[in-house]
Every structure is written in C-alpha cells, then in structure tokens.
Amino acid sequence: MADEAKKSNSNAKGGGKKKEVKKETGLGLSNKKDDNFGEWYSEVVVSSEMIEYYDISGCYILRPWAMSIWETMQTFFDAEIKKMKIKNCYFPLFVSPGVLQREKDHIEGFAPEVAWVTKSGSTDLDVHIAIRPTSETVMYPYYSKWIRGHRDLPLKLNQWCNVVRWEFSHPTPFIRSREFLWQEGHTAFATKDEADAEVLEILELYRRIYEEFLAIPVIKGKKSELEKFAGGLYTTSVEAFIPNTGRGIQGATSHCLGQNFAKMFEINFENEKGERQMVWQNSWAYSTRTIGVMVMVHGDDKGLVLPPKVASLQVIVVPVPYKDANTQAIFDACSATVNTLSEAGFRAEADFRDNYSPGWKYSHWEMKGVPLRIEIGPKDLANNQVRAVRRDNSAKVDIPMANLVEKVKDMLDDIHQSLFDAAKKKRDACVKVVKTWDEFMEALNQKKMILAPWCDEEEVEKDVKARTKGEMGAAKTLCSPFDQPELPEGTLCFASGKPAKKWTYWGRSY
Amino acid sequence: MADEAKKSNSNAKGGGKKKEVKKETGLGLSNKKDDNFGEWYSEVVVSSEMIEYYDISGCYILRPWAMSIWETMQTFFDAEIKKMKIKNCYFPLFVSPGVLQREKDHIEGFAPEVAWVTKSGSTDLDVHIAIRPTSETVMYPYYSKWIRGHRDLPLKLNQWCNVVRWEFSHPTPFIRSREFLWQEGHTAFATKDEADAEVLEILELYRRIYEEFLAIPVIKGKKSELEKFAGGLYTTSVEAFIPNTGRGIQGATSHCLGQNFAKMFEINFENEKGERQMVWQNSWAYSTRTIGVMVMVHGDDKGLVLPPKVASLQVIVVPVPYKDANTQAIFDACSATVNTLSEAGFRAEADFRDNYSPGWKYSHWEMKGVPLRIEIGPKDLANNQVRAVRRDNSAKVDIPMANLVEKVKDMLDDIHQSLFDAAKKKRDACVKVVKTWDEFMEALNQKKMILAPWCDEEEVEKDVKARTKGEMGAAKTLCSPFDQPELPEGTLCFASGKPAKKWTYWGRSY
C-alpha cells in the first residue's frame, strides 16, 4: 500500500499517535472536465499518480499506475503477434545521417523533430548522430542484407522501445511527448496480397486494444494521401474522438509501405522462378498515447476512471470501522475478501491505513480510478455481506459473501461494457453528417466529428485546411471509414462540388 | 522457419527445381575458440544470427535469436521482483546537466562516456541534454518529492530500458556496447537493515539468472572501495570468469547507495517519532551483457551452445529421407514429434526445407546452438523411435516414441547440468590461491583467477594496478567472496605484506 500513497500532504508526515483525519474535500480536482478540459487533464494525470512532470519540457515520468496499464496492453499484443510468427528484436537508438536521409519523403516528414547527438563527454563527434524518431531507416539497410531468396520471406520483426520526436507545440502527457514508448512492427513480404492482409490483421489488434481493453470505440479506416505515413503507400488507422475538445485522435496506425522503401534500400529477393523482385513492406505502431486517450475519454470530475481490464488494481477494499464495533473482525473480513478475490484471479487490495478516514480513502481511490470499491462495516459484517460501489456510475450493491466472486466478475464486466457504451453514445452524438460547406463549417464550430462526401483529391484537402486555419487549428481528414455508408450516384463533394468518391471523417485533431 | 535462414548463401537464391545441395563444410566457423578467441566470438555471435554489426561503431542489432534469450530472463526476473512488491515505471531518456552533476563522485565516474544532444532539427538547443548512462540522477529528485513520511517507504521501483555509455575502448557485442538494454532497480528504505537485506535478495536473483538459466557458475561477493559504484556505499556483484582470456567479468551488480544520494538530492522522511531522517537507498542492474557471457562460456568450435532454459528453440527435428524411403511418412513423424513436444511445453520445430541436406541442417542448428536435435529416418520410422543428439557433447540416444516427452525432459535437464558442471570445472581449474607477490605474478601470467589474502587498502589496490599495467590491462580486484576460506591469524597481504583482512579474487577483467 505504501507506494500508492505518495501524494504530499501534511497528515502523511504526522508523527503523533492520534492523527488529524484528512477531510475528503481536500482531495478533489480543482478543474472540471467540461469547464476547463486542458487543466483538468493535466491535473488528473498527476493527481492519479500516473504522471510526474519532468524538468525537461515535453518529457514525463510514467509512474507505476500508468506503467502497469502499458504492461497489460503489451502482454496482450506481444502474445498476439507471436501467434502471427512475428519475432521481437532490438535495433539501436542511433541512426547515422546518411541512412536517415536515404528516403526523401520520409525524412522530410521527420527532419524538424530529430534530436542530434553531437558530443560525447567533452569530445565533439566527427559525424553527428540522430536519435530514432521511428526505425524504418534504422532497420531496412539490414533487411536488404538479410533478404536474398523467397525462402527468407516473410521477414516479420517487432521491437518495444522508446523513440524521440522533439516537438515544440503543446507538449501533453501521453498524447504529445518528446520521448514516448511504443512497439514498431516492420515486415517484408513477397507479395502485396500478404502485406495487405497483415495491415488489416494488425489493425484489428489495435481495435481490440482500444475497444476490449480501454473500452474506447474507434473507427477503422484509411488515411488520405495528405495524412498518410511519409514515404508509405497507404496508411490505415483506428481513430478515436475526444468530445470535450471536439478533436479526433489517431489511435494507432498500420501502414503498407508498398515498395518505396524497398527501392531506396534495395530490398530484393529472387523468386521461385529465379527472377529478382522487390519486397512489399508494412510498418505499424501503437504507443503510450493510448493511455492518454483513455484518461480523456473516461475520466470525470472525481478523477481517473480505469476500465477493469487494464486497472492494475480492480477492487479496493476499505474497512469502515465504528467506535463500538469489532474493528479486528472488520479487518479480518477485509483480508478474507481480498484473499477470495485474489485467488479468483482479480487484482484486489485492502487499504488498512490508520491515518486516513474511510471517506478520504473513497476519494483517494476514486481519484486513482479503481473500478470497484468494496466497503465493509459492522452492518455488513453482521449480515455476512459487503457493499460494492462502482467507480463509473456510483451505483451501490450489497453482495452476500457467498456470491462474492461471481458478483464481482459480473460487475467488472458490466463496468467495462457501460464505459464502452457511454463513450460510444457520446462519440456518436458528436458525429455529424454534412453535405455542404456551410453545414461543414457549422458542424466544425460545434466541435463535431464530421462525416462528409469527398472527391478524395489532395488539393481539396489542402484547400479545406487553408480555409479553416485559425486559433483552434485547421480541419483535416481523420480517415475514410472502411464501413462506408451508401453513397448515392451523383453525390457531390462538400468542399469542391466535384463528384464524391467516398465518405470521409473530417475534424480538428490532436 | 524462413527467418531462421537469413545467412546469405548462393543456394538460398537458387531458383531451379533441382537445387545444388550445400556442403556441410561451408557452414563452419573459420576461427577456433582456443586459438583466436576474439575473432571466434565475433564470428559466433554473427553466424548464429544473434547479432548484426551496425553502421555506428559500438552499436549492435539484437536479432530475435538473442532477443528471445533476453525476454526469457526478463520474464523470470520481472515476476520475481513483482513478488517483492517492486513496481515498474519509466523515467525519461534525457537528463538535464544540472541534475546530472549533482552528485560529484557519481558524475566523475560517468562524465567521459555521456552522450549529449545539442540540436533538434537544425536548431541548436539552449541547454545541452544528456542521455542517461544510468538513472540515479534522473530519478532521485522525484524520490525527494514523493517521499515525505515513513508511510511512503519503502519506495521500490524498477525500469526496463536502454542506456548509453559512449565508450571508446574495444567495443564488443553484448559485453561492451555504447547502447545496451538492462533493468535498473532503485529503492529507498527507512532503515539500513532493510536496504542491506534487499541488496542480497536481488543478488540471489542475479545468481539464479546465471546459474539456473544460463548454466554459468558465479561468485557472489563484495567489490573493493576502488571498484564499487561511484557515489555508493558498497557494491555486491556476481562474478563470472572467461577461461579463454583469463579475465573476470562482472555479471550483475546490486549496490547499497547508503545515504549519499539522499543527502545530495534531499530525500528525507519524517519517522514515527516525528523526526526528520534520510532514506537508505539501493540500486541494482543486470544487462544484455549476460548473453555475451553465455556465448563466451559455453560456445565451441561448432558455434553457439544454448542452455535449454533460455533457448528459444530447444529441440530441432530434422527429417532424414532416403531415396527409396517413404518421405511423407518421415515428414509426418517429424510433425507428430513436434506436436507431442510442443503440447508437453517444449519449444520444438521441424526443419522441412527442401533445399538443404540433413547434414547442412545439422551444422546450421549446431551453429545456432539448439540444445537437442532429433533425427528421423527410415530406420527410426520402422522402429517407432527417434534419434536424439545432444549439442553439448554430441551424445546420440535412440528414444522410443512412447517415451519421447519423458526422455526429452531428462535430456534437456541433463544438458543444463552438464553445461553448468563443465563450466564450473573449467572455472575452478583457473582459480589459483596465492600468498606472495611472485606467486601472484606467475598466476596472472597464466591467466588465472587469483584468490589472495589482502589488507583491503585502497592504496595497495592502486599500487597493484600500477605494477601490473601493460598491454593486457592491469590486474584489479574482482570481489571479496562472501564465502570466505579460513584466514589464519598472522596471514599477510600478498601485495603489501601488511596483515591480511580477507580473501579477495584478483585478475584482469572485462
């Protein structure tokens, strides 16, 4: 328990036998989600003990409360890609400038954000060395070396690592940081069909991370030419939406790189007929950004709300002793409850600290977003029951000890589903279908996620960006959803008036 | 199978129906372990497909064959420290210069090796930023913030990450690289007793990694004042020995930092009596160096030798078809064998490639160090048996299919034990007990690991270093073993002639 209680407060320092009991009110957030979203977010990630701000701007400390969420997703994803026979490896953090600049479009996309090492100790380096912003150019010279014949394909590697993008605008914990953790998969195939299939298989894993673990609805789709990965053939993504800011957020991307990098890095193989061919490549990644999206979507004015699947603590048990009650019996019942739940595979702990009131503990664990709180007082003890309180909707249920495991399982499952449903309802309420420029601008001003018929021309997207430029940032395409509504013959593009080719989501974005 | 076969060779590129079968001889190492150890090592790590050399000196690519070993050790260690209630976190890669320099002895130890970021994109940074060589100075300012009262202790964090030490001497894959992977644990306690106890508990986990996973005997002991961690109170380590070079190698270290960092970073807490006190701290780490020690200790002239516990492939099944034999039945028996072993929890695969001869495959998997090879030919099929061949000693055993799982288990267990016993016998044969300077110099010239009575004075160690300086590097203390032989009253230090205080291992080292 001790390291769950790092928040500085005068009571934790109190040394006397009789401690001053902290009032619940002292724990709350000073910002409200709907009033002041940006400040609310910064406050939640710090107060829930997920993040500590660091003395270098744009860098953040991931504390255990955040790291355990990352580890849970990592365990799932790593097992899934191993089933796909993708193997883990580790390539260096450093890239030499020559290699970094080999693919022109690619480096143009990343150059302004690259951090450069120019000194070691007090010695200037002869050649400056870049820190990887992503590893295409780090890895592919070696793919060229390792791939010779068709039997060397597919080559499917992944790495879990840190990358650095020295961004200057609006650093935000998890969402936009100068260093972040991610996985990056890099695969090479003999045929485009195999590459295409893998792009979607990985994208489905990303959907599952968001929907099955983080309880966040996402839209699968394809990025526009302007928004696709620099140097790639096409980019697919899962897109989430933050109703409070009216901004879309790219949740994870699965790129087909086509043969462009293969050409630049000379990644060739001899096929079964003895002909020299270029490989087809994919790369795909998701990052610690996922955790930020989760905070933004589910958090409330009491703090963090954790979906049960990723909560490092799913159930917190709080003893509620009364003056005349048998305190030891209550504590024993709490321990027994934790044991029963732990043995059944739940992540449960009891908060036995004697210098905090039950009310303070309720607020503390609500701030930290624990999905279910179990309270045990004299009455519960007498009735051989516990009181369970849901974090997401504050609903209270008395559970007979005999049904504990079964009921807790049901409640946690229900919390996941409720979080997902509530998020989906909110997200769906923000989706606005428009067909004209005026409707588009009105919806944009209302912070909507806009679904509009589009001619799919790069110049038109550039034009929309230019026309919507402003303090809030320009609107751009989020994705063209795979799940396309019907597009009646003769439908025109909302922006250009040309024949529309597809429905596309537009909006401001992170 | 495909990505196990990346080695460039003309046959893999062959397109025709009838492939030229590769001669076994082409696969061997061109260097012998006993003749040319350095070149042998470089060749083994590359030919076994663990390492690829990278275009930046001192950086190496960890290929899946190496990475899987790291992951196996990581899974073990991570579960063990979680049992100890140590939690994972992630602190930034970057350190600001002010913080880095806060602890004087510490930074003196690392300063020459620190890599500095001075530019992002084409912009010069106002303040240069260091890349972590280790994270004491990264983390401890925040320990100071998080720790207030005795209830905040112990604080026990760990991170899995990369660190950078821009060393200029003799880069060697795994053993000495400019970037490497490790875990670093950083803990803070209210009392020295708790810190002392944890130092040993962690050291025992490091011993288990070496002895139970890598089958390498290590000596637990304490480092001298000269060799301890810069800025710490005392350092314990597990020490391995490489007979071929006659060098000791520090396997992993568990440091008690005492209160020195607590003083520099003001990490204080109020104890139960309301008194302000400084915490006691530890830090401990093991790195990918472990894999290099494994290669050096067990490898032979045929290539890598993997201890079964860390081998990503424990059993390779090779079909041995004959002209007139029922090839399909042999292949089916191979598949059945793999299935039976996989279901029993072994990591087994079959090599069905049709462009390599059985002999080529034997050599290939021997190079990669797979502990057990199973061959299935017509005779085996007829007798309902398989032939099992051990990598470590080439022993061949016929196993009835009915006993497959049980026998394979026994053989893998025995391979582990044999590797450990052989390594211990070799190591022990290198240990030389000396009592005089002449004996010491003679043993040093014979590349021994020298156990000598020592007065435990820093000046004497410095003097020994100065007197043994030369092409091969100076001798220094490796550790004073916890398991101390008897030291009769009146025993004198081998180097100073003063009364000896303890037995200490000396030698050249990595």
Side-chain angles (χ1 to χ4, degrees):
Chain A
M1 225 62 288
D3 46 352
E4 311 297 19
K6 293 283 137 12
K7 279 185 67 79
S8 154
N9 71 72
S10 57
N11 297 295
K13 296 190 234 169
K17 272 279 168 201
K18 188 68 197 167
K19 283 99 186 172
E20 191 191 340
V21 166
K22 175 113 184 172
K23 295 282 200 318
E24 290 92 275
T25 46
L27 259 184
L29 295 170
S30 51
N31 293 286
K32 289 201 182 304
K33 188 176 186 183
D34 289 340
D35 296 350
N36 210 348
F37 185 76
E39 283 74 7
W40 169 87
Y41 178 77
S42 302
E43 201 183 352
V44 168
V45 294
V46 171
S47 296
S48 64
E49 299 173 314
M50 297 181 96
I51 285 286
E52 185 74 62
Y53 279 75
Y54 191 66
D55 76 334
I56 296 174
S57 169
C59 294
Y60 306 95
I61 298 164
L62 302 188
R63 302 181 69 179
W65 202 248
M67 200 59 197
S68 63
I69 297 173
W70 183 242
E71 290 180 276
T72 299
M73 294 189 285
Q74 190 173 17
T75 301
F76 162 75
F77 190 81
D78 198 66
E80 290 297 323
I81 60 174
K82 279 177 177 156
K83 286 183 206 163
M84 293 169 67
K85 297 196 185 298
I86 293 159
K87 298 191 176 184
N88 284 331
C89 61
Y90 188 76
F91 280 74
L93 175 69
F94 298 119
V95 203
S96 59
V99 172
L100 185 67
Q101 286 147 12
R102 194 92 63 90
E103 209 298 307
K104 210 176 128 276
D105 289 341
H106 180 69
I107 186 59
E108 267 182 19
F110 286 103
E113 298 172 1
V114 170
W116 290 92
V117 175
T118 68
K119 274 173 60 182
S120 76
S122 51
T123 310
D124 290 326
L125 299 184
D126 288 342
V127 178
H128 294 182
I129 291 172
I131 300 182
R132 63 180 164 220
T134 177
S135 299
E136 279 75 9
T137 57
V138 174
M139 292 182 170
Y140 298 166
Y142 300 91
Y143 280 45
S144 165
K145 184 173 181 185
W146 295 333
I147 296 170
R148 301 285 157 161
H150 61 93
R151 285 192 183 77
D152 300 328
L153 297 172
L155 175 58
K156 306 203 276 188
L157 300 179
N158 176 69
Q159 69 182 11
W160 296 94
C161 65
N162 53 345
V163 287
V164 172
R165 298 179 187 177
W166 208 262
E167 307 200 50
F168 289 92
S169 61
H170 307 302
T172 307
F174 299 119
I175 302 292
R176 189 180 291 275
S177 54
R178 286 176 169 175
E179 180 195 6
F180 55 87
L181 302 182
W182 76 352
Q183 62 65 221
E184 49 179 323
H186 295 268
T187 52
F189 299 90
T191 64
K192 182 166 187 296
D193 281 354
E194 289 168 277
D196 287 339
E198 192 205 56
V199 163
L200 295 183
E201 204 173 342
I202 293 294
L203 194 68
E204 171 63 9
L205 293 180
Y206 292 149
R207 184 198 66 77
R208 291 180 62 191
I209 286 177
Y210 275 94
E211 301 200 337
E212 297 179 9
F213 284 80
L214 300 172
I216 294 169
V218 288
I219 293 163
K220 281 182 178 180
K222 194 171 162 179
K223 290 282 188 184
S224 68
E225 282 300 299
L226 209 56
E227 292 295 322
K228 75 176 185 185
F229 183 68
L233 180 62
Y234 66 86
T235 290
T236 68
S237 69
V238 290
E239 298 284 329
F241 189 75
I242 309 299
N244 289 76
T245 55
R247 288 179 191 272
I249 185 160
Q250 181 175 291
T253 45
S254 182
H255 314 291
C256 180
L257 303 179
Q259 297 185 304
N260 187 32
F261 286 90
K263 193 152 80 190
M264 295 304 148
F265 289 95
E266 298 176 19
I267 314 178
N268 304 309
F269 68 102
E270 220 169 71
N271 71 8
E272 304 200 5
K273 296 176 198 146
E275 300 158 347
R276 183 144 295 275
Q277 295 194 317
M278 280 192 290
V279 299
W280 292 88
Q281 289 179 275
N282 293 338
S283 73
W284 29 269
Y286 80 96
S287 75
T288 36
R289 164 177 276 205
T290 43
I291 301 172
V293 180
M294 178 202 77
V295 176
M296 289 185 168
V297 167
H298 299 306
D300 64 21
D301 290 344
K302 290 195 225 166
L304 194 62
V305 178
L306 291 174
K309 280 260 189 69
V310 294
S312 67
L313 190 55
Q314 297 171 313
V315 183
I316 183 71
V317 179
V318 179
V320 190
Y322 273 66
K323 226 178 179 176
D324 306 324
N326 182 344
T327 303
Q328 190 55 49
I330 289 175
F331 275 47
D332 290 346
C334 288
S335 295
T337 301
V338 168
N339 288 342
T340 303
L341 291 175
S342 300
E343 277 162 27
F346 299 106
R347 298 184 285 272
E349 283 181 20
D351 185 347
F352 288 128
R353 287 177 290 178
D354 61 0
N355 59 326
Y356 293 108
S357 71
W360 186 94
K361 292 176 184 175
Y362 298 169
S363 301
H364 173 73
W365 295 109
E366 281 170 359
M367 178 70 81
K368 291 179 74 80
V370 174
L372 200 61
R373 175 174 80 235
I374 285 183
E375 307 167 6
I376 304 183
K379 213 182 87 186
D380 303 302
L381 198 61
N383 296 338
N384 204 23
Q385 68 182 29
V386 302
R387 162 153 292 195
V389 185
R390 284 170 61 149
R391 172 63 182 89
D392 64 324
N393 63 7
S394 304
K396 295 179 168 66
V397 184
D398 290 329
I399 304 177
M401 277 301 273
N403 299 345
L404 183 68
V405 167
E406 183 194 344
K407 273 285 180 191
V408 165
K409 185 188 180 310
D410 289 348
M411 288 183 82
L412 291 176
D413 288 349
D414 196 58
I415 290 169
H416 175 89
Q417 195 57 49
S418 298
L419 285 174
F420 181 84
D421 291 346
K424 186 163 189 308
K425 200 173 154 190
K426 261 196 182 167
R427 196 270 319 265
D428 289 348
C430 292
V431 173
K432 177 81 184 168
V433 179
V434 311
K435 297 204 173 160
T436 68
W437 181 257
D438 288 347
E439 287 172 359
F440 177 82
M441 285 308 297
E442 190 187 343
L444 190 66
N445 289 334
Q446 290 167 352
K447 298 184 177 179
K448 298 293 189 190
M449 188 182 191
I450 303 164
L451 186 58
W454 181 38
C455 61
D456 198 12
E457 288 180 15
E458 203 167 326
E459 287 309 312
V460 173
E461 182 170 2
K462 281 184 185 163
D463 185 53
V464 172
K465 277 182 140 170
R467 288 161 78 187
T468 55
K469 217 171 190 169
E471 219 177 277
M472 304 271 292
K476 59 182 186 181
T477 57
L478 305 174
C479 74
S480 295
F482 290 146
D483 188 8
Q484 283 276 321
E486 205 198 324
L487 187 70
E489 190 92 34
T491 306
L492 301 180
C493 171
F494 78 100
S496 68
K498 296 180 189 175
K501 291 199 182 134
K502 50 166 71 160
W503 289 94
T504 299
Y505 283 103
W506 295 75
R508 295 195 180 91
S509 85
Y510 279 89
Chain B
M1 225 61 290
D3 47 353
E4 312 295 26
K6 293 282 138 13
K7 279 184 66 79
S8 155
N9 70 72
S10 57
N11 298 297
K13 296 190 235 167
K17 272 278 168 198
K18 187 68 193 167
K19 282 100 189 170
E20 191 191 341
V21 167
K22 176 111 182 169
K23 293 280 198 323
E24 289 92 274
T25 47
L27 259 183
L29 295 170
S30 50
N31 292 285
K32 290 200 181 304
K33 189 177 185 183
D34 288 340
D35 295 349
N36 211 346
F37 184 76
E39 282 74 8
W40 169 86
Y41 179 76
S42 303
E43 201 182 353
V44 168
V45 294
V46 171
S47 296
S48 64
E49 299 172 313
M50 297 180 96
I51 285 285
E52 184 74 62
Y53 278 75
Y54 190 64
D55 75 334
I56 296 174
S57 169
C59 294
Y60 305 95
I61 298 163
L62 302 188
R63 302 182 69 180
W65 202 247
M67 200 60 197
S68 62
I69 297 173
W70 183 242
E71 290 180 278
T72 299
M73 294 189 285
Q74 190 173 18
T75 302
F76 162 75
F77 190 80
D78 198 67
E80 290 297 322
I81 62 174
K82 278 177 177 154
K83 285 183 206 164
M84 293 168 67
K85 297 196 185 297
I86 294 158
K87 296 190 176 183
N88 285 331
C89 61
Y90 187 77
F91 280 73
L93 175 69
F94 297 120
V95 203
S96 58
V99 172
L100 185 67
Q101 286 146 13
R102 194 90 65 88
E103 210 296 309
K104 209 175 127 277
D105 289 339
H106 180 69
I107 185 59
E108 267 181 21
F110 288 103
E113 298 171 3
V114 170
W116 290 93
V117 175
T118 68
K119 274 173 61 181
S120 75
S122 50
T123 311
D124 290 326
L125 299 183
D126 289 342
V127 178
H128 293 183
I129 291 172
I131 300 182
R132 64 179 164 220
T134 177
S135 297
E136 279 76 8
T137 58
V138 173
M139 292 182 170
Y140 299 165
Y142 300 90
Y143 279 45
S144 166
K145 185 173 182 188
W146 296 334
I147 296 169
R148 302 285 158 161
H150 60 93
R151 283 192 184 76
D152 300 328
L153 296 172
L155 175 58
K156 305 202 278 188
L157 300 179
N158 176 68
Q159 68 183 11
W160 296 94
C161 65
N162 53 346
V163 286
V164 172
R165 299 180 186 174
W166 208 263
E167 306 200 50
F168 288 93
S169 60
H170 306 304
T172 307
F174 299 119
I175 301 292
R176 187 180 293 276
S177 55
R178 285 175 170 176
E179 180 195 6
F180 56 88
L181 302 182
W182 76 351
Q183 60 65 224
E184 49 179 325
H186 295 268
T187 53
F189 299 90
T191 63
K192 182 167 187 297
D193 281 354
E194 289 169 277
D196 287 338
E198 192 205 58
V199 164
L200 295 184
E201 205 174 341
I202 293 293
L203 194 67
E204 171 63 8
L205 293 179
Y206 292 150
R207 183 198 66 77
R208 290 181 63 192
I209 285 177
Y210 274 95
E211 301 200 337
E212 296 179 9
F213 285 79
L214 300 173
I216 294 169
V218 287
I219 293 163
K220 282 182 176 180
K222 196 172 160 180
K223 288 283 187 184
S224 69
E225 281 301 298
L226 209 56
E227 291 295 320
K228 75 176 184 184
F229 184 67
L233 179 62
Y234 66 85
T235 290
T236 69
S237 68
V238 289
E239 298 284 329
F241 188 75
I242 309 299
N244 290 76
T245 55
R247 287 179 191 273
I249 185 160
Q250 182 174 292
T253 46
S254 182
H255 315 290
C256 180
L257 303 179
Q259 298 185 304
N260 186 32
F261 286 90
K263 194 154 79 189
M264 296 305 148
F265 290 96
E266 297 176 19
I267 314 178
N268 304 309
F269 68 102
E270 221 168 73
N271 71 8
E272 304 200 5
K273 296 173 196 150
E275 300 158 346
R276 183 144 295 274
Q277 295 194 315
M278 280 192 291
V279 299
W280 292 87
Q281 291 180 273
N282 294 338
S283 73
W284 27 270
Y286 80 96
S287 75
T288 36
R289 164 177 276 206
T290 43
I291 302 172
V293 181
M294 178 202 77
V295 176
M296 288 184 169
V297 167
H298 298 307
D300 64 21
D301 291 343
K302 289 195 225 167
L304 194 62
V305 178
L306 290 174
K309 280 260 188 69
V310 294
S312 68
L313 189 56
Q314 297 171 312
V315 183
I316 183 71
V317 179
V318 178
V320 190
Y322 274 65
K323 227 178 179 174
D324 305 323
N326 182 343
T327 303
Q328 190 56 49
I330 289 173
F331 276 45
D332 290 348
C334 288
S335 296
T337 301
V338 168
N339 290 344
T340 303
L341 291 175
S342 300
E343 277 162 28
F346 298 105
R347 299 185 284 272
E349 282 181 21
D351 185 347
F352 288 128
R353 287 178 289 178
D354 61 1
N355 59 327
Y356 293 107
S357 70
W360 187 94
K361 292 176 184 175
Y362 298 169
S363 302
H364 174 74
W365 295 108
E366 280 171 357
M367 177 70 81
K368 291 179 74 82
V370 173
L372 200 61
R373 176 174 80 235
I374 285 183
E375 307 168 4
I376 305 184
K379 211 182 89 187
D380 303 301
L381 198 63
N383 295 338
N384 203 25
Q385 68 181 29
V386 301
R387 163 154 290 197
V389 184
R390 284 171 60 152
R391 172 66 181 87
D392 64 325
N393 63 8
S394 306
K396 295 179 169 67
V397 185
D398 289 329
I399 305 177
M401 277 301 273
N403 299 347
L404 183 68
V405 167
E406 183 194 343
K407 273 288 181 188
V408 165
K409 185 186 180 310
D410 289 348
M411 286 183 84
L412 290 176
D413 287 350
D414 196 59
I415 290 169
H416 175 89
Q417 196 57 48
S418 298
L419 286 174
F420 181 84
D421 291 346
K424 186 161 188 306
K425 199 173 153 190
K426 262 197 182 166
R427 196 270 320 265
D428 289 350
C430 292
V431 173
K432 177 81 184 168
V433 179
V434 311
K435 297 202 172 164
T436 68
W437 181 257
D438 288 347
E439 286 171 1
F440 176 81
M441 284 308 297
E442 189 188 344
L444 190 66
N445 288 334
Q446 290 166 352
K447 299 184 177 177
K448 298 292 188 188
M449 188 183 192
I450 304 164
L451 186 58
W454 181 39
C455 61
D456 198 11
E457 289 181 15
E458 203 168 324
E459 288 311 312
V460 173
E461 182 170 2
K462 280 185 187 162
D463 185 52
V464 171
K465 276 183 142 169
R467 288 162 77 185
T468 55
K469 217 171 190 169
E471 219 177 277
M472 304 272 291
K476 59 184 186 180
T477 58
L478 305 175
C479 74
S480 295
F482 291 145
D483 187 9
Q484 284 275 320
E486 207 197 324
L487 187 71
E489 191 91 34
T491 306
L492 301 179
C493 170
F494 77 100
S496 69
K498 297 178 187 178
K501 290 196 183 139
K502 50 166 69 159
W503 289 95
T504 298
Y505 282 102
W506 295 75
R508 295 196 179 92
S509 86
Y510 279 89

